[in-house]
């Protein structure tokens, strides 16, 4: 037995003293009270009876990274099944699969059986240390256990030996089963591609690459810069490291991305055949103009004429590398879909975290009509993009048809399904409608499932029901969907009627008589748009494109399901035709025009049209429309660490209008762009940010002049991914030297990374780095991985498990503690009842008997005395029963013949000595007579 809280026994001292002073009673109740106190104090100490036959826990760690051999998961599942069969009564088995992070497949439990790998893991890394720590958490401290690692031993992340020591401290051994790829073939790997962190424009520099070969082999080398070949040719690789040197020169600022690819036909590990690096080419901050106008457009010419370096890029996906060295990004009437969902994320991080500037100009493809509502860029803008009731000129009716086939049940990386995102998109569209509009929603697979009949918005729409749309089976029957859309939309008599079809571009079937349906709808002034889930090159994309063309609507392709809410909103705004004013409107100055700089104010121009938006709180307005809307034409504000300007008029296009010839127009454009560009304080030269990579460890440092140490006491570094995926990682920087701050970050996977150091409201961008492939593919012999696993087993007392037989046979069984406190509390209650019973009914009985006997004898003695007084003759000299010679109170013996038989007195004892009281003598005599009478009756 053991006590969990032995300190409670100290309570016996004060409780014992309290009981002795205030609760003392004679006899057995006192002993019961003492025992009751002892039992209660023992219960407070929480005693436990330890049973050593509760089995043992086994946690199996399965490496599911890319470096594992083909078929490794099947082998691991077979080993888990064999381990399951070896269990004894009380033994439990748990399973953890790990890649970049550990995932619990089955927690240790006696009845839970492993049914296959169900958890999703990132296979680009194998963090064995985190997996061992997770096993440490799963094995309870009151149970014994072991860990079995099934891996090739190529571990990324922290050193797993630290986790092995923690397990060993608890007596948990680590066994291992080694599974690895065959290493008999040739492995040619690029282990390093080194470039300077930064160079100046037109400054020659050198690139150095290291290629490791397991044996002599003939191969080819290809060096690319920004995807364009620089060097290509054969190369003879010798066993071991091979050093390759290249030279280059770049004539414009920005970022250059290099890739070195090596190839040989006999290579057995192709994942490590490429090396990547990024190089910053220093220069003055420049402007990146994304425009379909090209370099000859008005914006590009104006920016260049005022002396700002301007690079023009056609609409397309953006990466953080495109914005490296860019002071301001200008979007000229660019549709959000052209930038891609990842590009919109990049713009958001570029402004908020990296301190970049953004200028967005208006047009039919910009702001609300351009699909920026419900996008990451909407939050950056100083104007809101909602569609208010006063904007609407006519009511509309909309029928939404959504594909609910089984393909819509697929989960996207953020955990939601495509169907959930489509439901969110439908809700976003419905919420843009006003009370005069009507809408219906149906989901379709091989048949129609109605969610919302054609209903007026003022009567209320069940948004929750739409958001929770289900995914069924089969594909979507396009003909069935269009037939239902025709029936629903013709129930309405609104002036504008529109059908939106959402379908999988890879799984749209049975178009039926779609051409006839679309022709009928167009004849009745009904339009049809299509949102395709997929790419324009998918198998059914041509059919969806034809439906949109014949329906007189628009076609959208959503390669990223997370863009669906944005696209649904964009289509609704386009149908309502309320987000763009296409009539000439004069502008007037706002209250904050002077904050932008010098702009002519003697006359105010007219614009040919503008995007109707609303000023956000705390935003500044420089120009407003002079119509009834008084909408912002030019608004601006700081956002995060950057600045944003919204110019809702079209800068150069069909709706530019007379402002094109206004003499202050070019000055206005210059001030918009210059205001968003980050300032370059002179003291910025005192800080130098650097970034170096070793494996997947990124080390960011900030060096400064000791005489100009930063006043900011809490510097941080943000790690931005090149494609904008995921939230930026934020790390605190620590002092590494008297003039250096630093931070380490484990890169999550291949790609480019852009560190940003934040010092208060200042931002310093470190050079970007690239990770070409997962570090576990770095060249190394199979012995290294097995040696790692062997070291873990040696540290913890484990062994290599070539067979699962006897896995639990010699395992030390767990101690199963049985708590005794509930039993002791029950005993204490019984003792309490016993103490009350004894004290009330048994311990007080002798005193009660004596008291009753005393009263009875008094009555017996008084009765014959009274009778004698009544029958005896009265004498004047003396009273009856009194002897003249006796003292007062002395009793006179009465002969037995004179005692009446009914008195029940057999004899009278002799008179006691004169010194004894008369009453005591009578009591004793009465007791003697009572005993004599009892003996006669019982004949004993």
């Amino acid at each position: 037995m053991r006590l969990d809280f032995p300190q409670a026994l100290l309570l016996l001292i004060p409780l014992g003293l309290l009981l002795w002073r205030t609760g003392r009673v004679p006899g057995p109740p006192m002993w019961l009270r003492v025992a009751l106190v002892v039992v209660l104090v023992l219960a407070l100490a929480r005693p436990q009876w330890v049973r050593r036959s509760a089995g043992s826990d086994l946690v199996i760690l399965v490496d599911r990274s890319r470096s594992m051999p083909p078929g490794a998961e099947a082998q691991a599942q077979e080993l888990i099944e064999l381990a399951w069969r070896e269990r004894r009564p009380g033994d439990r088995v748990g399973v953890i699969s790990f890649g970049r992070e550990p995932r619990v497949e089955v927690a240790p439990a006696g009845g839970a059986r492993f049914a296959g790998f169900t958890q999703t893991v990132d296979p680009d890394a194998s963090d064995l240390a985190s997996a061992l720590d997770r096993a440490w958490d799963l094995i309870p401290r009151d149970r014994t256990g072991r860990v079995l690692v099934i891996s090739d031993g190529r571990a990324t992340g922290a050193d797993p030996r630290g986790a092995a020591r923690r397990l060993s401290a608890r007596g948990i051994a680590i066994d291992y089963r080694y599974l690895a790829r065959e290493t008999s073939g040739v492995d040619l790997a690029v282990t390093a591609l080194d470039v300077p962190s930064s160079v100046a424009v037109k400054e020659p520099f050198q690139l150095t690459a290291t290629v490791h070969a397991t044996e002599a082999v003939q191969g080819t080398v290809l060096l690319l810069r920004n995807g364009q070949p620089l060097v290509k040719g054969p190369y003879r690789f010798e066993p071991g490291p091979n050093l390759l040197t290249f030279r280059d020169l770049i004539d414009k600022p920005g970022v250059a991305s290099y890739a070195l690819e090596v190839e040989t036909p006999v290579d057995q590990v192709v994942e490590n055949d490429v090396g990547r690096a990024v190089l910053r080419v220093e220069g003055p901050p420049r402007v990146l103009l994304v425009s379909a106008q090209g370099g000859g457009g008005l914006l590009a010419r104006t920016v260049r004429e005022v002396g700002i370096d301007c690079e023009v890029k056609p609409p397309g996906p953006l990466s953080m590398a495109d914005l490296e060295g860019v002071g301001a990004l200008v979007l000229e009437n660019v549709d959000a879909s052209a930038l891609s969902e990842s590009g919109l994320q990049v713009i958001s991080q570029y402004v908020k975290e990296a301190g970049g500037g953004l200028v967005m100009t208006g047009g039919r493809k910009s702001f609300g009509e351009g699909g920026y509502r419900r996008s990451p860029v909407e939050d950056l803008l100083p104007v809101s993009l909602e569609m208010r009731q006063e904007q609407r000129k006519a009511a509309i009716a909309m029928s939404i048809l959504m594909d609910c086939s089984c393909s819509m049940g697929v989960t996207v990386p953020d955990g939601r399904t495509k169907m959930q995102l489509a439901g969110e998109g439908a809700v976003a569209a419905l919420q843009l409608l006003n009370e005069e509009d009507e809408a219906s929603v149906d989901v379709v697979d091989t048949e129609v499932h109605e969610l919302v009949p054609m209903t007026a918005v003022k009567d209320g729409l069940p948004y929750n029901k739409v958001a929770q749309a289900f995914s069924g089976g089969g594909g979507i029957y396009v003909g069935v969907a269009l037939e239902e859309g025709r029936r629903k939309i013709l129930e309405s008599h609104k002036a504008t009627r529109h059908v939106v079809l959402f379908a999988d571009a890879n799984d749209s079937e049975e178009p039926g008589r779609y051409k006839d349906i679309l022709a009928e709808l167009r004849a009745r002034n009904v339009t049809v748009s299509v949102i395709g889930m997929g790419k324009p090159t998918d198998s059914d994309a041509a059919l969806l494109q034809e439906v949109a063309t014949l329906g007189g609507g628009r076609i959208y392709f959503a390669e990223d399901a997370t863009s669906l809410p944005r696209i649904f909103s964009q289509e609704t705004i386009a149908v309502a035709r309320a987000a763009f004013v296409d009539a000439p409107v004069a502008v007037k100055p706002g209250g904050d025009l002077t904050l932008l700089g010098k702009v002519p104010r003697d006359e105010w121009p007219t614009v040919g049209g503008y995007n109707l938006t609303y000023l956000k709180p705390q935003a500044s307005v420089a120009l407003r429309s002079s119509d009834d809307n008084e909408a912002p034409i030019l608004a601006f504000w700081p956002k995060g660490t950057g600045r944003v300007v919204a110019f809702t008029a079209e800068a150069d296009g069909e709706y530019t209008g007379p402002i094109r010839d206004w003499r202050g127009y070019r000055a206005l454009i210059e001030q918009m762009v210059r205001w968003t560009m980050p300032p370059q304080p002179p003291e910025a030269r005192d800080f130098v940010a650097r970034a170096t990579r070793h494996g997947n460890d990124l080390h960011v440092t900030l060096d400064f002049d000791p005489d100009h140490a930063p006043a900011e006491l809490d510097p941080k570094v943000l790690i931005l991914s090149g494609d904008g995926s995921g939230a930026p990682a934020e790390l605190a920087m620590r002092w590494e030297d008297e003039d250096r701050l630093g931070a380490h970050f484990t890169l999550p996977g291949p790609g480019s990374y852009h560190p940003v150091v934040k010092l208060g409201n200042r931002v310093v961008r470190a050079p970007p780095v690239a990770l070409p492939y997962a570090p576990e593919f770095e060249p190394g012999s199979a012995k290294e991985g097995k040696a790692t696993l062997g070291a873990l087993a040696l540290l913890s007392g484990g062994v290599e498990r070539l067979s699962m037989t006897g896995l639990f046979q010699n395992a030390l069984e767990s101690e199963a503690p049985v708590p005794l406190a509930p039993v002791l509390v029950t005993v204490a209650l019984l003792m309490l009842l016993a103490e009350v019973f004894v004290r009330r009914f048994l311990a007080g009985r002798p005193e009660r008997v004596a008291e009753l006997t005393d009263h009875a004898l008094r009555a017996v003695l008084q009765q014959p005395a009274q009778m004698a007084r009544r029958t005896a003759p009265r004498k004047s000299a003396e009273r009856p029963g009194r002897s003249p010679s006796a003292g007062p109170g002395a009793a006179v013996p009465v002969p037995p013949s004179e005692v009446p038989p009914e008195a029940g007195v057999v004899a009278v004892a002799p008179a006691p000595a004169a010194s004894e009281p008369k009453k005591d003598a009578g009591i004793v005599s009465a007791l003697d007579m009572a005993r004599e009478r009892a003996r006669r009756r019982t004949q004993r």
Side-chain angles (χ1 to χ4, degrees):
M1 187 178 74
R2 70 185 181 194
L3 301 178
D4 284 350
F5 189 54
Q7 297 90 335
L9 297 179
L10 297 175
L11 293 174
L12 288 173
I13 298 174
L15 291 178
L17 293 175
L18 181 64
L19 182 62
W20 180 257
R21 292 182 61 87
T22 62
R24 185 170 49 178
V25 294
M30 186 62 185
W31 296 107
L32 286 172
R33 290 187 179 187
V34 172
L36 177 62
V37 171
V38 172
V39 170
L40 286 177
V41 171
L42 188 61
L44 289 175
R46 287 180 284 183
Q48 293 181 342
W49 173 57
V50 179
R51 180 171 56 89
R52 297 181 179 273
S53 57
S56 178
D57 287 349
L58 173 67
V59 178
I60 303 176
L61 309 182
V62 182
D63 188 349
R64 295 175 60 195
S65 63
R66 295 190 190 278
S67 64
M68 292 292 285
E73 288 191 10
Q75 294 182 59
Q77 190 163 349
E78 181 180 355
L79 293 172
I80 294 170
E81 181 64 27
L82 292 174
W84 177 270
R85 296 174 185 173
E86 291 291 319
R87 293 177 308 126
R88 305 166 301 181
D91 291 332
R92 308 189 308 178
V93 177
V95 180
I96 296 176
S97 61
F98 68 96
R100 187 175 308 282
E101 295 178 347
R103 305 290 184 189
V104 178
E105 302 281 355
V106 177
R113 189 161 188 164
F114 179 69
F117 296 101
T118 59
Q119 298 292 327
T120 301
V121 300
D122 185 348
D124 287 331
S126 53
D127 194 347
L128 179 55
S130 295
L132 290 172
D133 285 336
R134 192 71 183 93
W136 190 92
D137 293 333
L138 285 185
I139 300 176
R141 285 192 167 273
D142 58 352
R143 290 183 62 84
T144 61
R146 300 181 75 86
V147 173
L148 174 61
V149 180
I150 302 176
S151 173
D152 61 356
R154 289 182 172 270
T156 61
D159 191 338
R161 289 177 291 185
R165 292 187 182 97
R166 289 189 287 273
L167 287 167
S168 178
R170 282 183 52 188
I172 300 175
I174 302 175
D175 299 337
Y176 69 92
R177 177 65 178 268
Y178 178 69
L179 297 179
R181 296 187 179 191
E182 297 292 335
T183 57
S184 57
V186 176
D187 183 15
L188 194 64
V190 181
T191 58
L193 179 59
D194 298 322
V195 298
S197 59
S198 63
V199 297
V201 175
K202 296 183 180 180
E203 174 187 354
F205 61 93
Q206 179 175 287
L207 298 86
T208 303
T210 304
V211 181
H212 187 277
T214 55
E215 58 184 72
V217 64
Q218 183 70 32
T220 59
V221 173
L222 174 63
L223 178 65
L224 300 100
R225 184 182 70 193
N226 298 330
Q228 301 299 317
L230 290 181
V231 177
K232 184 177 181 179
Y235 194 89
R236 176 70 180 180
F237 296 98
E238 300 298 331
N242 296 263
L243 189 65
L244 287 73
T245 303
F246 307 93
R247 295 185 180 277
D248 197 12
L249 179 147
I250 302 176
D251 57 1
K252 64 178 183 178
V255 167
S257 299
Y258 290 91
L260 178 68
E261 300 176 2
V262 296
E263 182 180 357
T264 182
V266 295
D267 196 354
Q268 297 296 310
V269 184
V270 297
E271 291 87 352
N272 55 19
D273 289 354
V274 61
R276 299 186 185 279
V278 287
L279 170 68
R280 173 187 289 175
V281 183
E282 299 285 359
R286 69 187 193 282
V287 171
L288 176 62
L289 172 62
V290 180
S291 172
Q293 300 280 354
L298 176 62
L299 276 180
R301 295 198 312 270
T302 301
V303 172
R304 287 168 178 163
E305 286 173 1
V306 298
I308 301 175
D309 185 11
C310 180
E311 176 187 355
V312 180
K313 182 181 184 298
L318 289 175
S319 67
M320 196 62 71
D322 294 325
L323 299 176
E324 190 69 34
V326 172
L329 170 67
V330 181
L331 301 178
E332 183 184 6
N333 197 18
V334 178
D335 192 287
S337 296
L339 300 173
S340 77
E341 210 61 28
S342 63
L344 296 172
Q345 290 284 359
V346 164
I347 295 174
S348 176
Q349 294 183 10
Y350 164 74
V351 174
K352 289 182 179 179
E353 314 298 347
L358 172 65
V359 177
M360 179 180 286
T361 68
R364 285 288 189 183
K365 296 180 180 180
S366 189
F367 293 100
E369 285 210 3
Y372 287 94
R373 178 171 169 79
R374 301 292 296 267
S375 77
V377 173
E378 181 185 16
D379 181 57
L380 302 178
L381 299 175
V383 294
S384 62
L385 307 182
E386 77 267 19
M387 191 168 58
R388 299 184 181 179
Q389 186 170 353
E390 59 266 24
Q391 299 175 229
R392 302 285 301 280
K393 298 179 181 178
I396 64 174
M398 180 178 290
S399 174
I400 299 177
L401 309 168
M402 295 192 295
D403 180 358
C404 70
S405 62
C406 58
S407 62
M408 292 297 111
V410 176
T411 303
V412 300
D414 67 359
R416 293 176 291 179
T417 65
K418 294 179 180 180
M419 193 73 246
Q420 288 175 323
L421 289 165
E424 291 179 20
V427 170
L430 297 176
Q431 289 176 337
L432 286 170
L433 303 179
N434 62 29
E435 292 187 352
E436 302 302 320
D437 297 330
E438 295 177 346
S440 68
V441 182
D442 298 275
V443 294
V444 186
D445 42 30
T446 57
E447 59 182 352
V448 176
H449 309 277
E450 183 180 82
L451 295 181
V452 183
M454 186 59 68
T455 306
V457 175
K458 63 183 177 182
D459 294 336
L461 297 177
Y463 297 125
N464 290 339
K465 187 176 181 180
V466 176
Q468 297 171 2
F470 61 90
S471 175
I476 178 174
Y477 283 13
V478 175
V480 173
L482 291 175
E483 183 65 40
E484 182 66 15
R486 182 194 68 82
R487 186 180 70 81
K488 290 285 180 64
I489 200 67
L490 294 181
E491 293 178 3
S492 175
H493 301 285
K494 299 296 182 182
T496 301
R497 295 178 292 183
H498 187 67
V499 176
V500 178
L501 172 65
F502 167 68
D504 193 337
N506 257 327
D507 193 22
S508 297
E509 310 173 47
E510 302 295 333
R513 46 185 295 271
Y514 72 102
K515 293 184 179 180
D516 296 336
I517 297 172
L518 293 171
E520 179 184 357
L521 291 175
R522 291 299 295 127
R524 297 197 179 192
N525 235 4
V526 178
T527 54
V528 179
S529 292
V530 179
I531 301 174
M533 185 70 248
K535 299 177 291 186
T537 56
D538 289 341
S539 58
D540 297 321
L543 170 63
L544 300 181
Q545 175 71 62
E546 186 180 9
V547 169
T549 301
L550 296 177
R554 289 156 292 278
I555 179 72
Y556 306 87
F557 287 102
E559 297 185 34
D560 188 342
T562 58
S563 66
L564 290 175
R566 178 181 61 78
I567 294 176
F568 270 96
S569 298
Q570 179 180 1
E571 175 60 13
T572 306
I573 292 174
V575 172
R577 297 188 180 93
F580 191 83
V581 177
D582 56 6
V585 176
V587 300
K588 59 183 180 179
D592 303 314
L593 178 62
T594 57
L595 299 178
L596 282 179
K598 296 181 179 180
V599 178
R601 299 182 181 84
D602 53 349
E603 57 178 321
W604 300 107
T606 298
V607 297
Y610 66 92
N611 294 84
L612 183 54
T613 61
Y614 299 89
L615 192 69
K616 288 182 180 178
Q618 300 180 351
S620 301
V621 58
L623 297 175
R624 287 186 179 274
S625 66
S626 59
D627 57 7
D628 294 339
N629 295 323
E630 292 192 347
I633 299 296
L634 178 58
F636 56 96
W637 70 350
K639 188 64 177 179
T641 58
R643 296 179 175 183
V644 182
V645 167
F647 182 61
T648 60
E650 189 171 21
D652 184 16
E654 178 183 358
Y655 298 99
T656 302
I659 194 174
R660 185 195 304 271
D661 301 322
W662 179 45
R663 69 183 186 90
Y665 189 41
R666 284 170 171 74
L668 182 66
I669 293 176
E670 177 185 1
Q671 294 304 324
M672 286 192 302
V673 173
R674 289 193 183 278
W675 187 84
T676 59
M677 297 184 73
Q680 297 295 314
E683 63 270 20
R685 295 189 301 269
D686 298 332
F687 300 89
V688 178
R690 296 184 176 90
T692 55
R693 179 185 66 84
H694 298 282
N696 63 343
D697 177 68
L698 173 62
H699 186 205
V700 181
T701 59
L702 184 67
D703 295 287
F704 52 88
D705 186 343
D707 297 331
H708 299 83
E712 174 63 39
L713 298 179
D714 189 23
K716 295 180 176 60
V717 71
L718 295 175
I719 309 299
L720 311 180
S721 61
D723 59 359
S725 60
E730 182 175 310
L731 306 169
M733 302 192 77
R734 301 286 184 262
W735 291 101
E736 298 180 350
D737 203 344
E738 61 179 4
D739 56 356
R740 171 175 294 180
L741 290 161
H744 288 267
F745 176 69
T746 301
L747 299 177
S752 63
Y753 297 89
H754 300 255
V756 175
V757 178
K758 297 180 70 173
L759 289 166
N761 57 356
R762 295 182 53 189
V763 172
V764 181
R765 300 186 197 178
V769 298
L771 181 65
Y773 52 82
E776 57 186 10
F777 286 115
E778 292 180 354
S781 65
K783 295 180 179 179
E784 293 178 1
K786 190 171 184 179
T788 299
L789 297 177
L792 300 181
L794 182 62
L795 280 172
S796 60
V799 296
E800 181 179 6
R801 288 286 176 184
L802 300 178
S803 172
M804 298 294 106
T805 303
L807 186 60
F808 291 97
Q809 185 174 0
N810 298 321
L812 181 63
E813 295 205 47
S814 302
E815 296 179 348
V818 179
L820 300 179
V823 177
L824 293 176
V825 171
T826 304
V827 172
L829 290 174
L830 295 175
M831 295 177 69
L832 177 62
L833 296 175
E835 191 271 343
V836 173
F837 180 80
V838 171
R839 179 168 45 83
R840 296 291 299 272
F841 299 103
L842 298 180
R845 186 164 181 169
E847 294 82 356
R848 182 62 175 169
V849 170
E851 182 182 354
L852 293 176
T853 305
D854 183 37
H855 285 291
L857 291 176
R858 287 180 182 179
V860 170
L861 293 175
Q862 289 174 2
Q863 185 177 0
Q866 293 174 357
M867 291 178 63
R869 284 196 296 268
R870 286 196 297 267
T871 59
R874 298 181 179 270
K875 294 182 180 180
S876 57
E878 58 185 29
R879 286 184 292 179
R882 296 280 182 178
S883 174
S885 60
V892 178
V894 181
S897 61
E898 297 183 8
V899 178
E902 61 272 13
V905 178
V906 179
V908 178
S915 61
E916 294 182 4
K918 175 183 177 181
K919 182 178 178 181
D920 292 343
I923 292 175
V924 174
S925 299
L927 288 174
D928 292 339
M929 288 187 294
R931 292 192 187 98
E932 182 63 23
R933 185 176 61 181
R935 282 196 296 269
R936 288 201 304 268
R937 287 181 178 178
T938 58
Q939 296 180 358
R940 294 182 179 175

